[in-house]
Amino acid sequence: DVMDSLGLTGILIGDGPLRELVRQRCGESGSRLQWFSRIPHNQLPELLARGRLFILPSHYEGHPKALIEAMACGMPVIGADSPGIREVLDHGQTGWLCGTDAGSIRDAVRHLLENPDLCQRLGENARKRAVQKYSLDRIVSAELELLHAAAGEVKGDHGSH
């Protein structure tokens, strides 16, 4: 519906138990959809670079790695205003938040495509944010701090018994 109404072609990456339902729902617009169950991780940047926008319309994300990867590639990103996504995106600064319904997603896509300067700014800011906050060095450092803190608590707990 969103792709047809805007005349767009989409790339969907992923698989799962709802694949057939999604395929049925796509109906005739399925011809406008390239679907990859899985791709090698090193091919992801090249595939992302083919797109004009990245959209993650999930109802919930624990840690939205795909979103952060798209941001790192300098993509303008649209994410659902959902837990896990809204903590990563600053609306209008590093990405664009929308609802999870087709109308909200369509409006967000249309708005960004009609505003190329905004798209460029969002992409540039998204890349900066991804590099500053989610680089491998920062993630590893944060996880090590967490492990050390947990080990310290465990060690302290044992000593108090």
Side-chain angles (χ1 to χ4, degrees):
D1 180 41
V2 173
M3 291 187 299
D4 278 340
S5 65
L6 297 175
L8 301 173
T9 298
I11 296 174
L12 194 145
I13 303 170
D15 208 351
L18 299 177
R19 182 183 177 108
E20 274 314 304
L21 178 62
V22 171
R23 206 175 264 295
Q24 290 169 11
R25 289 269 177 103
C26 285
E28 292 186 16
S29 67
S31 62
R32 292 183 169 274
L33 180 65
Q34 289 182 282
W35 196 325
F36 299 89
S37 294
R38 288 188 175 80
I39 60 162
H41 191 75
N42 63 349
Q43 291 179 15
L44 186 60
E46 178 187 334
L47 195 57
L48 287 171
R50 290 171 42 191
R52 293 164 64 191
L53 298 170
F54 176 89
I55 307 167
L56 186 65
S58 305
H59 290 275
Y60 173 82
E61 287 286 332
H63 181 66
K65 290 181 182 78
L67 179 70
I68 294 166
E69 289 168 338
M71 292 170 69
C73 289
M75 296 286 300
V77 297
I78 297 172
D81 189 3
S82 303
I85 296 174
R86 71 172 70 106
E87 286 77 19
V88 172
L89 294 183
D90 290 329
H91 180 69
Q93 297 299 316
T94 59
W96 202 261
L97 293 171
C98 67
T100 56
D101 60 286
S104 293
I105 296 167
R106 181 175 44 250
D107 290 347
V109 169
R110 181 178 288 127
H111 181 72
L112 291 190
L113 292 179
E114 290 174 353
N115 292 281
D117 290 345
L118 174 61
C119 274
Q120 182 175 349
R121 184 168 46 86
L122 292 176
E124 290 170 359
N125 291 344
R127 175 154 173 72
K128 287 178 193 169
R129 171 67 56 85
V131 169
Q132 289 170 354
K133 192 168 181 181
Y134 300 105
S135 69
L136 183 59
D137 289 343
R138 288 192 53 96
I139 296 295
V140 169
S141 177
E143 288 196 9
L144 281 174
E145 285 180 31
L146 182 64
L147 290 171
H148 285 301
E153 288 179 17
V154 170
K155 184 177 180 183
D157 288 346
H158 288 325
S160 65
H161 290 302

